[in-house]
Amino acid sequence: MNTSTTASLNSNKRSMTFDVSVDNVVFGFDGDDLRILLIRQGLPGQDMGQERFHMAVPGDLVLPEEGLDEAASRILSNLTSIKGIFLKQFYTFGAPDRVFHEKDKEWLTKMRRYPDRRVVSVGYYSLVALADYRPKPNSFASQVEWCLLSNIPTLAFDHNAIIDAGLEQLREDVANRNIIFELLPEKFTLGQLQRLHEIILGKTLDKRNFRKNVKRMADVVALDEKQAGVLHKPAQLYTYRRQD
Amino acid sequence: MNTSTTASLNSNKRSMTFDVSVDNVVFGFDGDDLRILLIRQGLPGQDMGQERFHMAVPGDLVLPEEGLDEAASRILSNLTSIKGIFLKQFYTFGAPDRVFHEKDKEWLTKMRRYPDRRVVSVGYYSLVALADYRPKPNSFASQVEWCLLSNIPTLAFDHNAIIDAGLEQLREDVANRNIIFELLPEKFTLGQLQRLHEIILGKTLDKRNFRKNVKRMADVVALDEKQAGVLHKPAQLYTYRRQD
DNA sequence: ACAAAAGTGTTGGAGATACACCCATGA
DNA sequence: TCATGGGTGTATCTCCAACACTTTTGT
């Protein structure tokens, strides 16, 4: 092969291999607060002397025959044991040193076959209505927890930045598409819908104007059913039905 | 290592390596039409008998020490020899078979060191004002051409899908951010601005309403200069100055 | 004079904003 | 009866859509 004619943009001069992973920012709404699914893993081979944990957003290496969306939903269903959840790719994180900070070294060494390999991670976010599906912590030696969005601790790798980027994308998507209903149970009140908007957008909204807007969305239909067992005037229940 | 306690989401059962590449959808506006930068490479080792070409969006494997944004701007500056161009990551393409179609086999075999490796590609789009910078076809044995958006041929791999996705993202970003000015020369007319909007959004706009909207954007300022040498009433020139 | 794009206002309707009080329930 | 969120209407203003003719230049 004559390199002087075949030299190209697709240079092979230096070659390397990457690992590709998917990290999933899972948002859940419990009726009052927005939460994020985190996994805590004890570092193996320690005698509980000082507890050391690895806290992270759920993620995994992509398998050889697996597409990216597929990997994201596998990761999610391993944790929550439910399927059919809203999932969206939002950004890919590829800084050369993103997994090579001192704090992450121990975990990488113990858990990864090639701890020195550069890892490019494709970020997804997911929306889960906590009221419908109480997800079971299904997984192995790790615990899952729904952490308040306002209370996220320092996480492994660049996962705090991944969450920030996911939240920013969520804000945009809520403004432009009807995805917010993915976070609500099948039956919800207008109060919940408004609170959720306020949390995501980070500002308060006028109740009467908000309800006026909702009333002119054809997709939000009133059920003839009301809240029960609540310590105030029970609210009308609504549901979301995508028009055809 | 005790696998029963360390088994985790980050399974190492099957392991593989990926190549990671960046593909760049470069939009250029020439004053009349929206175009996309394509590269055409003759397949090496052929005797011009039947001409066979590889046509693709500019792209390359990411280098070992290089970030993704960095790779995208390297690819772009190799082709256009200008810097400081607007660049944005929009989606990552990772279908397991995305480079393994029959039509692409020859190119992969001849140009890539590991033609069997799965390739995950991070899509970027870029915006170039063709009137300011006439980019020189700078590159090796390949030719660059600015192809009309309405005339894109069948390209290598999944590059047609990448262009579609890039265009969709561009549409959204034009609606939500002030990026459209990246496609215009420093001095432009309101007619050009409107035409560009119409092309990108795929619909015609009312001239008077359009101009009303522009006039209330503080960032678009009238120069005291007019078009010259044009076969009709010369237009007022404007420029875009980001407010502080 | 003609061709070709530039430039310019008004009106009616829809959506946004601002604002305060009564209601139904469980404890 | 009290605490708690549920539920409701009006006035103003801004933004959007629809619509047609005159102006300036080069040939």
Side-chain angles (χ1 to χ4, degrees):
Chain A
M1 195 155 103
N2 177 347
T3 45
S4 74
T5 61
T6 59
S8 83
L9 277 181
N10 296 285
S11 117
N12 287 316
K13 281 163 202 155
R14 285 179 281 171
S15 170
M16 82 169 308
T17 60
F18 290 81
D19 277 344
V20 174
S21 72
V22 163
D23 284 311
N24 205 332
V25 180
V26 187
F27 295 98
F29 183 62
D30 61 14
D32 297 307
D33 295 294
L34 195 57
R35 294 171 181 270
I36 290 191
L37 190 61
L38 296 180
I39 58 176
R40 145 180 283 157
Q41 293 179 301
L43 286 172
Q46 293 195 187
D47 293 323
M48 297 291 146
Q50 55 170 28
E51 296 199 292
R52 298 200 53 201
F53 291 114
H54 171 93
M55 290 209 60
V57 141
D60 194 11
L61 298 181
V62 176
L63 300 177
E65 313 280 318
E66 186 183 50
L68 301 177
D69 289 3
E70 224 177 312
S73 80
R74 168 175 57 84
I75 289 162
L76 186 55
S77 61
N78 278 350
L79 287 172
T80 62
S81 60
I82 34 160
K83 328 231 163 200
I85 281 188
F86 182 90
L87 249 166
K88 183 174 170 178
Q89 186 193 310
F90 68 91
Y91 196 74
T92 296
F93 301 84
D97 60 351
R98 58 176 288 278
V99 300
F100 300 129
H101 295 291
E102 198 50 43
K103 63 169 171 141
D104 301 311
K105 196 171 168 186
E106 185 181 357
W107 187 90
L108 269 183
T109 310
K110 297 205 168 148
M111 304 293 280
R112 284 278 166 88
R113 184 139 146 207
Y114 304 102
D116 295 329
R117 234 182 231 177
R118 184 170 164 189
V119 181
V120 166
S121 186
V122 182
Y124 280 73
Y125 76 83
S126 318
L127 305 179
V128 177
L130 294 185
D132 283 352
Y133 323 98
R134 266 293 160 192
K136 60 175 173 200
N138 179 10
S139 47
F140 314 89
S142 61
Q143 305 160 337
V144 305
E145 57 188 84
W146 286 98
C147 184
L148 280 178
L149 184 56
S150 46
N151 253 345
I152 308 285
T154 299
L155 303 176
F157 310 125
D158 53 355
H159 284 194
N160 292 91
I162 291 179
I163 288 178
D164 290 346
L167 180 58
E168 197 181 324
Q169 183 70 45
L170 174 62
R171 285 208 174 103
E172 228 184 277
D173 290 347
V174 163
N176 296 319
R177 331 198 199 271
N178 271 358
I179 59 163
I180 202 170
F181 300 99
E182 306 286 340
L183 282 165
L184 288 163
E186 203 190 319
K187 301 170 183 183
F188 54 87
T189 71
L190 296 186
Q192 292 173 321
L193 180 56
Q194 181 175 348
R195 254 193 308 286
L196 183 50
H197 269 98
E198 289 177 337
I199 292 169
I200 293 174
L201 302 179
K203 63 181 177 191
T204 63
L205 303 171
D206 179 87
K207 186 164 41 158
R208 282 177 288 187
N209 294 333
F210 181 82
R211 291 162 105 97
K212 242 181 295 176
N213 293 336
V214 173
K215 294 235 169 79
R216 89 171 83 86
M217 283 197 244
D219 295 350
V220 178
V221 303
L223 303 172
D224 37 49
E225 194 175 345
K226 286 179 189 276
Q227 252 183 336
V230 83
L231 59 155
H232 58 271
K233 174 173 174 178
Q236 173 74 246
L237 290 174
Y238 290 78
T239 197
Y240 177 74
R241 266 200 259 286
R242 190 172 216 104
Q243 301 295 94
D244 309 300
Chain B
M1 194 155 103
N2 178 347
T3 47
S4 74
T5 60
T6 59
S8 82
L9 277 182
N10 296 284
S11 117
N12 287 316
K13 281 162 202 154
R14 286 179 279 170
S15 169
M16 81 168 310
T17 61
F18 291 81
D19 277 343
V20 174
S21 72
V22 164
D23 284 311
N24 205 332
V25 180
V26 187
F27 294 98
F29 182 61
D30 61 15
D32 297 307
D33 294 294
L34 196 56
R35 293 171 181 270
I36 289 192
L37 191 61
L38 297 180
I39 57 177
R40 145 181 284 157
Q41 292 179 302
L43 287 171
Q46 293 194 187
D47 294 324
M48 297 292 146
Q50 55 169 26
E51 295 198 292
R52 298 201 52 203
F53 292 113
H54 172 92
M55 290 208 59
V57 140
D60 195 10
L61 297 180
V62 175
L63 300 177
E65 313 279 319
E66 187 182 50
L68 302 178
D69 289 3
E70 224 176 313
S73 79
R74 167 175 58 84
I75 288 162
L76 186 55
S77 61
N78 278 350
L79 288 172
T80 63
S81 60
I82 35 160
K83 329 232 162 198
I85 282 188
F86 181 92
L87 250 165
K88 183 174 171 179
Q89 187 192 308
F90 67 91
Y91 195 76
T92 296
F93 301 84
D97 59 351
R98 58 177 286 279
V99 300
F100 301 129
H101 296 290
E102 197 51 43
K103 62 169 173 144
D104 301 311
K105 196 171 168 188
E106 185 181 357
W107 187 91
L108 269 182
T109 310
K110 297 204 170 151
M111 304 293 280
R112 283 278 166 87
R113 185 140 147 208
Y114 304 102
D116 295 329
R117 236 184 228 175
R118 183 169 164 189
V119 182
V120 166
S121 186
V122 182
Y124 279 74
Y125 75 84
S126 317
L127 305 179
V128 177
L130 293 185
D132 283 352
Y133 321 100
R134 265 292 161 193
K136 60 175 173 199
N138 181 10
S139 47
F140 314 88
S142 61
Q143 304 159 337
V144 307
E145 56 189 84
W146 287 97
C147 184
L148 281 177
L149 184 56
S150 44
N151 253 344
I152 308 285
T154 300
L155 303 177
F157 309 125
D158 53 356
H159 284 194
N160 291 94
I162 292 179
I163 288 178
D164 290 346
L167 180 59
E168 197 182 325
Q169 184 70 44
L170 174 62
R171 285 206 175 103
E172 226 182 279
D173 290 347
V174 162
N176 296 318
R177 330 198 199 273
N178 272 358
I179 60 162
I180 202 170
F181 300 99
E182 306 286 341
L183 281 167
L184 288 164
E186 203 190 318
K187 301 171 182 181
F188 55 86
T189 70
L190 296 186
Q192 292 174 321
L193 180 57
Q194 182 176 349
R195 254 193 307 286
L196 183 50
H197 269 98
E198 290 176 337
I199 292 169
I200 293 173
L201 301 179
K203 63 181 176 190
T204 63
L205 304 170
D206 179 86
K207 185 163 46 155
R208 282 176 289 190
N209 293 334
F210 181 81
R211 291 163 105 96
K212 241 180 296 176
N213 293 337
V214 173
K215 293 233 170 80
R216 88 171 83 89
M217 283 197 244
D219 295 349
V220 178
V221 303
L223 303 171
D224 36 50
E225 193 174 347
K226 286 179 189 277
Q227 253 183 336
V230 83
L231 59 155
H232 58 272
K233 175 170 175 179
Q236 173 76 248
L237 290 174
Y238 290 78
T239 197
Y240 177 73
R241 265 198 260 287
R242 190 172 216 105
Q243 301 295 95
D244 308 299

